[in-house]
Amino acid sequence: MTQYKTLALAGALIASVLGAGIASAQQELNLYSSRHYQTDETLYANFTKATGIKINRIDGKEDELIQRIRREGRASPADVFITVDAANLQVADEAGLFAPVKSKVIESRIPAQFRGEDNRWFGFSYRARVIAYNKDRIKPEEVANYLDLAKPGMKGKICVRTGGHVYNRTLMASMIYNHGDDKALDWARGIVTNLARAPKGGDTDQIRAVAAGECDVAISNHYYYARLMASSKPEDQEVVRKVGIVFPDQTGKGTHINISGGGMLKHAPNKAAATKFLEYLASDEAQAYFANGNNEWAVVPSVKLSNPQLDAMGNFKVDQLSAGVLAQYTPKAQRFIDRAGWK
Ligand code: FE
């Protein structure tokens, strides 16, 4: 009996030593991501170099990944979900997919404005929703504020993508927060009234339509304009020559910003690795790669980017509204967009 016990103990000991060896040799992180850029490759490789944790990446569209994580449930191998836009993070959060992350590193590096409710998700870079205008036809002062777009003088002049797209849904959420229900709904109705054409295409298509004279004004995320600025194609340079951008609401609350971000999943099998990865994304090095990957700004204030396009755009006043609060207004924003008929 005693002998068996000793043997069993010895066996257990060997197994646990072996197990530990195997576990450390095979430390992994399963990353589900709907955000991917070239510089992200270096970002992930550097993480593996620094920690020995291998990253298995699954790329997909945000709604498909959210559906997949829901379907996989408790058996989901997903440790971290990365996506863009507070509205997408809100959809995942409302589905109960995220777990809170307790990390002194993250809390000290990422300002509260860029953290979701209860630290269940985090922004790692931010983007601005700007107004693009045809320099020959519009003075920047005419479109200094988002509210200007709904004025009668803008009738037939605006190009914008569908209202239901997350970029517009989150902008709408900020309008509701900053101006109240009635004024925000009126604004959405004004946008619809002032459209030059039925919404179609992405943000770059709207900027190109402004250059082509199909409309005078467009709403776009800043990085689409930055990409055109960086392009060596003569037709893109021509667009930049014809179209200027305005950071709206500089004398008010500031320009609406949104985030690229993510969080740890509730059923993550590798929670320690997930926390390490999220902490890594807040490091100086990773912040620069993550932000530059899409010409966005770093959320960690001390991180300085070297990005000629962003430098050329200059500094601007940012709306301080927290991404977590903003996210909570996105379901209501979608209802308002539907009521306004912003298809
Ligand atoms: Fe985008």
Side-chain angles (χ1 to χ4, degrees):
M1 191 70 178
T2 320
Q3 233 178 4
Y4 283 131
K5 233 180 182 172
T6 315
L7 266 178
L9 256 176
L13 202 68
I14 290 166
S16 78
V17 167
L18 275 176
I22 289 164
S24 68
Q26 290 189 333
Q27 265 208 76
E28 293 188 0
L29 175 84
N30 301 316
L31 176 65
Y32 284 28
S33 174
S34 75
R35 191 201 112 111
H36 191 68
Y37 300 104
Q38 247 168 10
T39 52
D40 292 2
E41 292 298 336
T42 315
L43 181 79
Y44 300 146
N46 287 352
F47 175 73
T48 303
K49 222 183 291 167
T51 62
I53 300 168
K54 186 183 154 218
I55 295 179
N56 306 313
R57 205 184 67 234
I58 293 191
D59 291 325
K61 288 193 64 184
E62 49 279 341
D63 39 346
E64 286 164 14
L65 290 176
I66 289 171
Q67 282 313 314
R68 179 169 172 170
I69 297 164
R70 291 179 83 152
R71 214 171 41 239
E72 290 170 340
R74 289 178 176 280
S76 176
D79 293 307
V80 169
F81 175 51
I82 298 271
T83 187
V84 299
D85 206 286
N88 284 328
L89 290 161
Q90 176 69 10
V91 169
D93 199 26
E94 278 188 357
L97 302 189
F98 289 128
V101 171
K102 282 195 182 30
S103 160
K104 292 243 178 314
V105 174
I106 292 178
E107 280 177 43
S108 68
R109 301 222 6 122
I110 300 182
Q113 181 186 4
F114 301 108
R115 289 189 252 133
E117 199 186 344
D118 208 13
N119 287 347
R120 285 193 299 269
W121 50 262
F122 309 94
F124 292 105
S125 62
Y126 70 91
R127 64 269 301 279
R129 199 119 181 90
V130 302
I131 296 174
Y133 65 95
N134 186 305
K135 290 177 192 170
D136 292 335
R137 301 197 201 173
I138 298 283
K139 291 190 198 71
E141 309 86 83
E142 294 175 73
V143 288
N145 304 292
Y146 297 111
L147 287 174
D148 293 333
L149 301 177
K151 288 181 176 167
M154 285 290 148
K155 196 160 171 63
K157 293 184 177 174
I158 296 176
C159 278
V160 66
R161 72 196 305 165
T162 55
H165 190 274
V166 285
Y167 300 165
N168 288 330
R169 195 190 310 164
T170 317
L171 171 61
M172 187 68 203
S174 83
M175 296 301 284
I176 294 170
Y177 185 88
N178 287 335
H179 301 289
D181 287 5
D182 293 349
K183 215 167 167 185
L185 183 57
D186 278 351
W187 178 77
R189 288 185 169 132
I191 293 281
V192 173
T193 303
N194 290 344
L195 288 175
R197 61 178 192 184
K200 60 172 180 182
D203 284 359
T204 306
D205 299 312
Q206 317 310 319
I207 300 173
R208 289 193 197 284
V210 170
E214 219 179 312
C215 33
D216 292 351
V217 174
I219 308 176
S220 171
N221 282 355
H222 81 282
Y223 54 83
Y224 294 107
Y225 188 81
R227 278 181 208 164
L228 292 168
M229 286 171 90
S231 168
S232 54
K233 289 184 190 160
E235 63 268 33
D236 292 343
Q237 285 306 310
E238 184 63 8
V239 170
V240 172
R241 202 186 58 74
K242 284 184 173 160
V243 180
I245 60 162
V246 163
F247 287 100
D249 291 44
Q250 293 301 285
T251 55
K253 290 272 173 74
T255 297
H256 164 67
I257 59 162
N258 207 326
I259 52 171
S260 288
M264 178 172 78
L265 296 155
K266 194 164 67 187
H267 300 302
N270 307 297
K271 289 211 164 66
T275 304
K276 256 187 207 168
F277 180 70
L278 295 172
E279 287 177 344
Y280 170 72
L281 287 183
S283 69
D284 284 2
E285 178 194 79
Q287 276 285 288
Y289 279 118
F290 195 86
N292 264 325
N294 190 31
N295 297 303
E296 293 182 69
W297 292 278
V299 294
V300 175
S302 60
V303 172
K304 294 284 167 275
L305 300 179
S306 111
N307 183 308
Q309 285 72 47
L310 297 187
D311 290 347
M313 285 184 187
N315 292 323
F316 64 100
K317 181 179 172 185
V318 166
D319 187 348
Q320 299 294 316
L321 173 57
S322 132
V325 173
L326 190 62
Q328 287 164 24
Y329 279 82
T330 56
K332 186 188 222 178
Q334 185 58 56
R335 289 197 297 276
F336 278 24
I337 283 164
D338 292 341
R339 277 172 67 182
W342 187 351
K343 299 252 163 55

